[in-house]
Amino acid sequence: MVSESTQEFLKWFRDSGATLHPAVGIKDFEGVGRGAVALHDIQKDTVLFTVPRSILLSTRTAPLRDILGDEDWSTLKGWEGLILSMMYEDSRVKDSPWSGYLQDLPTKFDTLMFWTDEELEQLQASTVRDKIGKAATEKDFHERVLPLLQRRTDVFEPALRDTFFTLERFHINGSRILSRSFHVEEWHDEHASDDESIPSEPDHKPVEMSRDPDAMDTDEGRPEGGEDDDAESDTESPDDVNMVPMADILNARYGCHNAKLFYEKDHLNMIATKDIPAGEQIWNTYGDPPNADLLRQYGHIDRIPILNPEVGVYPFENPADEVEIRADLVFDVCTPHLHGKERTRRIDDWLTLGGEDTFVIDNDDPLCKPLLGIIKFLGMSEQEVDDTLQKDKLPKGKPTGELLEGALQVYKQRLNQYGTALEADEQMLIDLQDKYSRLHNAVFVRTGEKRLLRKAIRQAETILQQEKAQQSKGKRPREETKSEKRSTKKVKR
Ligand SMILES: C[S@@+](CC[C@H](N)C(=O)[O-])C[C@H]1O[C@@H](n2cnc3c(N)ncnc32)[C@H](O)[C@@H]1O
């Protein structure tokens, strides 16, 4: 049985011309909130529900842009237009065409934006703490949004200000967008088929979601981290960010998705991408991000049973986890002799070559080949650096010998940045009663990151020991194995 507000939403949804397949139910799942469930066996390719484009909520469909006029609208950046549109529609209560939808959206979130400093401390050295962007978001609110709210009293009624136009409501609507929006483009005629009412396979355009890691990565209206306005220029148009009623009721879990949203000229279809047995949850995908990003963006983590634990005793993981290492740490560990101008010049040279300032360890590439590249670069003489700059090619490093020794020191120093031991964290995860609490989720995030570092350390130590054994037998150092070569992966950031 779902809540009264969800029942009201379902009525609104049907009355708006949407359709819902009789085999699709909505129910509450422990620790996950509402989600969709198969009431009967559902076959692959079944249209689970259809959402008319007219009920999407975006800056294209909401009236606020026209009401404010170009001059005031153009002062808003990133998601601010959509956030304000949602605040405005919220303030219209029953007069809003989206009232049946908005009244059922959450107002409480466990995303990192809403965590206290004490709770954030539990993430220890996870770099996700630098990506929340709360201070920058609040600065934007005070400098750009609040003056508009105060100036346009004809639109934003002063009597409603303390209820609907507060910083808190700004955060709430920002988080609604962050955790629930989809990227939906306008329909272009070249997509049209002869008979648009019968969608055919080639006309199904997968709807890219704003949850996609490559799409606009924003915290409540501004680029990630909140520092760089230019970052918006190479991301999606804020007008393509859409709230899609019903589609946003679907939960997601690593590797489980069995439904996907497609668009047509006048409507969007959620379609089963697999057979779904009765009783099973209908899962969308959020792009299978690492737990740190899930927590930042959605407020939950993925806990997937580990079949063959390589490290640790707590039998769950998120296979998509990552741990980031900042180039600063690599410089500190590998070039302690470089100071002042010399250090700055070497950093500039690295960046000129297009080198990354952050390195990512994940399960595909625990040793992180790009990290070996920078360590090789840091070991170069001035002349070698000049030659490399001339060739304009990033150096590549093999996971052997001195380079790997250097990397091993970096992995160890990175692990030291976390305050507690992996074993203690795993025991804490076992002992904690509430497996959905913020504390549990924070400890799980730092555990996943430490496990990756431990994995890198073990791999590096094994290789170095083998090399030493071979050398002591008088053999040449071992070559990279094929699987190590295959594990090379592009740096993601
Ligand atoms: C798009 S909404 C899905 C609907 C949501 N459960 C609701 O009750 O409205 C995304 C939110 O659902 C929750 N969620 C989705 N997948 C989850 C999962 N695997 N585990 C826990 N919570 C999940 C998170 O709170 C997330 O921010």
Side-chain angles (χ1 to χ4, degrees):
M1 193 61 181
V2 288
S3 67
E4 230 170 80
S5 68
T6 299
Q7 288 178 40
E8 230 177 274
F9 160 70
L10 289 170
K11 181 177 177 326
W12 171 86
F13 185 66
R14 287 199 176 92
D15 289 351
S16 308
T19 62
L20 182 61
H21 193 285
V24 178
I26 306 296
K27 71 171 225 186
D28 279 318
F29 293 88
E30 193 199 350
V32 180
R34 285 169 316 168
V37 63
L39 300 175
H40 310 289
D41 288 349
I42 293 175
Q43 280 191 341
K44 182 174 183 256
D45 294 331
T46 302
V47 176
L48 303 169
F49 51 84
T50 295
V51 188
R53 275 183 182 260
S54 55
I55 66 167
L56 305 185
L57 178 46
S58 75
T59 50
R60 288 199 181 99
T61 57
L64 188 66
R65 182 200 299 254
D66 289 341
I67 294 170
L68 283 179
D70 284 346
E71 200 177 317
D72 277 333
W73 183 260
S74 65
T75 62
L76 300 171
K77 297 228 165 100
W79 289 358
E80 288 165 4
L82 181 55
I83 297 177
L84 262 195
S85 293
M86 290 172 69
M87 289 164 80
Y88 174 70
E89 294 303 327
D90 263 337
S91 79
R92 295 170 70 194
V93 197
K94 292 277 175 206
D95 289 340
S96 168
W98 290 278
S99 69
Y101 171 58
L102 292 170
Q103 55 84 35
D104 193 37
L105 286 184
T107 52
K108 297 256 181 302
F109 295 88
D110 283 314
T111 44
L112 296 181
M113 187 67 92
F114 293 91
W115 285 30
T116 63
D117 288 346
E118 210 182 1
E119 287 166 338
L120 290 172
E121 275 295 314
Q122 293 296 334
L123 290 162
Q124 297 183 342
S126 175
T127 50
V128 72
R129 289 173 69 177
D130 303 329
K131 299 177 188 170
I132 305 167
K134 187 169 181 176
T137 299
E138 297 193 349
K139 184 167 175 278
D140 288 347
F141 177 81
H142 288 295
E143 286 181 0
R144 213 163 32 232
V145 179
L146 191 58
L148 181 63
L149 291 170
Q150 288 168 340
R151 191 166 64 245
R152 293 300 301 268
T153 49
D154 55 321
V155 183
F156 308 111
E157 266 188 57
L160 300 180
R161 197 174 288 158
D162 290 348
T163 315
F164 294 106
F165 304 124
T166 59
L167 174 63
E168 195 200 352
R169 297 299 302 183
F170 188 76
H171 277 313
I172 287 172
N173 282 294
S175 289
R176 285 171 166 178
I177 297 171
L178 189 63
S179 61
R180 312 176 78 92
S181 65
F182 290 77
H183 174 103
V184 185
E185 288 169 25
E186 271 187 309
W187 182 260
H188 299 296
D189 278 344
E190 62 266 28
H191 294 150
S193 65
D194 290 339
D195 185 351
E196 284 143 25
S197 63
I198 305 172
S200 58
E201 195 57 48
D203 281 343
H204 286 157
K205 291 274 162 208
V207 176
E208 295 291 317
M209 293 183 292
S210 60
R211 301 164 187 153
D212 186 320
D214 294 334
M216 190 185 210
D217 200 358
T218 348
D219 272 337
E220 299 188 3
R222 56 179 297 137
E224 184 179 342
E227 303 304 336
D228 179 9
D229 279 345
D230 290 343
E232 266 174 277
S233 56
D234 54 2
T235 53
E236 73 175 349
S237 159
D239 291 338
D240 289 336
V241 180
N242 281 255
M243 301 300 286
V244 184
M246 188 60 92
D248 62 4
I249 282 186
L250 266 54
N251 298 305
R253 188 165 189 254
Y254 176 89
C256 288
H257 77 273
N258 51 19
K260 189 161 187 172
L261 196 58
F262 294 84
Y263 65 78
E264 299 291 328
K265 183 177 180 193
D266 298 317
H267 57 268
L268 279 57
N269 290 323
M270 185 64 78
I271 295 178
T273 53
K274 293 178 185 157
D275 290 344
I276 310 174
E280 200 162 283
Q281 184 159 184
I282 302 173
W283 301 101
N284 200 343
T285 173
Y286 301 168
D288 290 344
N291 272 344
D293 282 337
L294 271 177
L295 208 48
R296 179 178 68 82
Q297 211 172 333
Y298 300 96
H300 72 272
I301 44 125
D302 271 346
R303 217 155 15 115
I304 310 296
I306 310 179
L307 297 179
N308 298 307
E310 212 179 304
V311 195
V313 292
Y314 187 65
F316 296 97
E317 65 169 349
N318 178 347
D321 268 348
E322 295 177 349
V323 57
E324 291 184 338
I325 298 179
R326 296 263 154 84
D328 276 356
L329 176 69
V330 190
F331 270 80
D332 289 345
V333 174
C334 300
T335 55
H337 55 284
L338 284 186
H339 301 286
K341 278 189 190 151
E342 249 187 317
R343 181 181 157 113
T344 313
R345 199 169 61 231
R346 192 59 71 100
I347 294 174
D348 287 348
D349 289 344
W350 174 250
L351 296 175
T352 304
L353 278 168
E356 302 289 339
D357 61 3
T358 304
F359 300 89
V360 179
I361 288 183
D362 60 19
N363 279 306
D364 288 338
D365 184 16
L367 296 179
C368 185
K369 293 228 167 143
L371 177 73
L372 296 159
I374 190 177
I375 294 174
K376 184 173 180 183
F377 178 77
L378 294 178
M380 287 179 176
S381 65
E382 295 281 325
Q383 185 57 50
E384 285 169 328
V385 170
D386 286 347
D387 293 348
T388 307
L389 285 169
Q390 286 256 311
K391 285 187 204 144
D392 195 20
K393 223 171 153 197
L394 275 174
K396 285 187 183 151
K398 286 187 178 169
T400 56
E402 273 182 22
L403 286 188
L404 195 54
E405 297 267 10
L408 180 58
Q409 293 316 310
V410 174
Y411 309 139
K412 285 183 174 172
Q413 290 285 336
R414 180 70 180 100
L415 188 56
N416 280 344
Q417 291 178 337
Y418 294 79
T420 51
L422 174 59
E423 290 71 18
D425 289 350
E426 293 200 294
Q427 193 54 50
M428 202 168 162
L429 288 174
I430 291 166
D431 294 343
L432 279 170
Q433 295 290 319
D434 184 351
K435 303 290 190 231
Y436 299 103
S437 66
R438 290 181 181 182
L439 176 60
H440 172 276
N441 290 350
V443 177
F444 199 39
V445 163
R446 72 191 200 213
T447 299
E449 296 184 1
K450 287 176 199 182
R451 277 177 175 170
L452 282 165
L453 288 163
R454 186 67 73 78
K455 193 170 174 178
I457 291 169
R458 286 196 179 163
Q459 271 196 19
E461 284 178 342
T462 306
I463 294 172
L464 291 167
Q465 274 162 15
Q466 285 169 356
E467 277 181 7
K468 278 199 189 108
Q470 280 174 338
Q471 276 162 10
S472 66
K473 280 192 211 155
K475 289 187 189 161
R476 285 174 48 215
R478 69 185 262 295
E479 284 290 318
E480 266 179 293
T481 63
K482 271 191 183 156
S483 73
E484 280 163 8
K485 278 186 181 149
R486 266 199 304 276
S487 74
T488 309
K489 216 172 152 223
K490 274 194 175 165
V491 179
K492 291 185 180 156
R493 286 169 232 283

